[in-house]
């Protein structure tokens, strides 16, 4: 479950739902195979957008979906993401994600990139789902990639203009281009970290 400015997203490993500040519960799932991981809410000019991740067994590919709250038409980024965080900066979405093999990637995509309807497999563009979004302003582009090593499954979060990366028992911060990764704190004997930002505070949970 994720909470941001009164908007709640919950579910995952199946359908994803959302509750707005007025208490209305709606189905936010956009993949027609009905399997998504809870990502979070990102605000675009004070309007809520939702991002989730998913894996499509039919073509053995993973995706990140970004769309306005309640809208089924999504920006689609091909990504085998087990952790993902999205921020909106200068009319672009900056997306950090990592896979289950320690590969960390940061990409950006214009907020006006093409959005497609994936809820209906017979809809235009849905039978041939794009592997990356297209847009008159350009498609998703890679800002940086970093291999953290096999068996490493980090978690990522944007906070106050920096990307924070939790790896096992350590927390790092970096610019979006991963050029200056710096150790923030070593928590000692810990593991399986998770990061989140709530009420403008960065939180890290671990065990």
């Amino acid at each position: 479950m994720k909470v941001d400015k009164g908007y709640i997203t919950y579910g995952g490993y199946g359908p994803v739902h959302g509750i707005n500040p007025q208490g209305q519960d709606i189905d936010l799932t956009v993949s027609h195979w009905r399997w998504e991981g809870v990502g979070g809410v990102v605000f675009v000019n004070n309007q809520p957008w939702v991002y989730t991740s998913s894996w499509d067994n039919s073509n053995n590919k993973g995706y990140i979906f970004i769309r306005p709250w309640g809208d089924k038409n999504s920006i689609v980024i091909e990504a085998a993401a087990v952790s993902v965080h999205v921020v909106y900066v200068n009319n672009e979405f900056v997306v950090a994600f990592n896979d289950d093999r320690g590969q960390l990637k940061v990409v950006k995509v214009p907020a006006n990139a093409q959005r497609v309807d994936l809820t209906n497999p017979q809809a235009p563009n849905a039978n041939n789902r794009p592997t990356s979004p297209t847009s008159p302003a350009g498609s998703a582009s890679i800002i940086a990639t970093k291999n953290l090593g096999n068996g490493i499954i980090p978690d990522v979060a944007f906070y106050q203009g920096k990307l924070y990366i939790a790896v096992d028992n350590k927390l790092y911060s970096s610019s979006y281009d991963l050029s200056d990764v710096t150790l923030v704190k070593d928590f000692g004997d810990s593991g399986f970290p998770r990061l989140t930002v709530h009420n403008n505070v960065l939180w890290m949970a671990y065990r």
Side-chain angles (χ1 to χ4, degrees):
M1 182 177 71
K2 296 292 181 67
V3 181
D4 198 338
K5 296 182 181 179
Y7 289 87
I8 301 170
T9 54
Y10 71 96
Y13 301 103
V16 173
H17 276 246
I19 303 175
N20 66 16
Q22 291 74 43
Q24 181 186 18
D25 190 318
I26 62 173
D27 187 350
L28 296 173
T29 314
V30 295
S31 61
H32 67 82
W33 51 90
R34 305 285 297 170
W35 192 102
E36 293 175 38
V38 174
V41 179
V42 58
F43 288 86
V44 177
N45 300 323
N46 294 319
Q47 297 302 309
W49 286 50
V50 180
Y51 60 93
T52 56
S53 58
S54 186
W55 184 265
D56 182 5
N57 286 324
S58 67
N59 61 14
N60 201 35
K61 290 183 178 180
Y63 300 97
I64 295 169
F65 305 131
I66 308 173
R67 67 279 192 187
W69 181 275
D71 200 320
K72 299 302 183 182
N73 295 322
S74 304
I75 296 172
V76 181
I77 302 172
E78 184 178 332
V82 297
S83 174
V84 59
H85 196 208
V86 178
V87 292
Y88 175 72
V89 181
N90 296 328
N91 298 316
E92 293 180 317
F93 293 110
V94 182
V95 184
F97 63 92
N98 60 269
D99 63 17
D100 59 0
R101 298 181 180 179
Q103 188 76 13
L104 174 64
K105 186 175 291 186
V106 183
V107 305
K108 62 181 180 179
V109 61
N112 66 345
Q114 176 187 343
R115 292 190 285 128
V116 295
D117 182 2
L118 300 177
T119 60
N120 181 1
Q122 303 304 318
N125 295 323
N127 283 329
N128 298 300
R129 288 183 294 280
T131 57
S132 62
T134 58
S135 165
S139 60
S141 58
I142 296 174
I143 298 175
T145 301
K146 189 174 185 64
N147 193 337
L148 302 176
N150 290 333
I152 301 298
I153 304 178
D155 199 19
V156 293
F158 292 105
Y159 178 63
Q160 295 185 344
K162 289 283 189 177
L163 173 63
Y164 283 80
I165 309 161
V167 181
D168 291 334
N169 60 342
K170 296 178 175 65
L171 178 65
Y172 299 88
S173 69
S174 173
S175 299
Y176 291 177
D177 62 4
L178 302 178
S179 62
D180 55 352
V181 178
T182 304
L183 178 65
V184 175
K185 187 170 183 177
D186 186 332
F187 291 89
D189 188 13
S190 62
F192 303 99
R194 298 293 293 172
L195 293 174
T196 190
V197 176
H198 181 63
N199 286 340
N200 201 33
V201 176
L202 176 68
W203 295 80
M204 176 175 169
Y206 55 87
R207 63 182 186 185

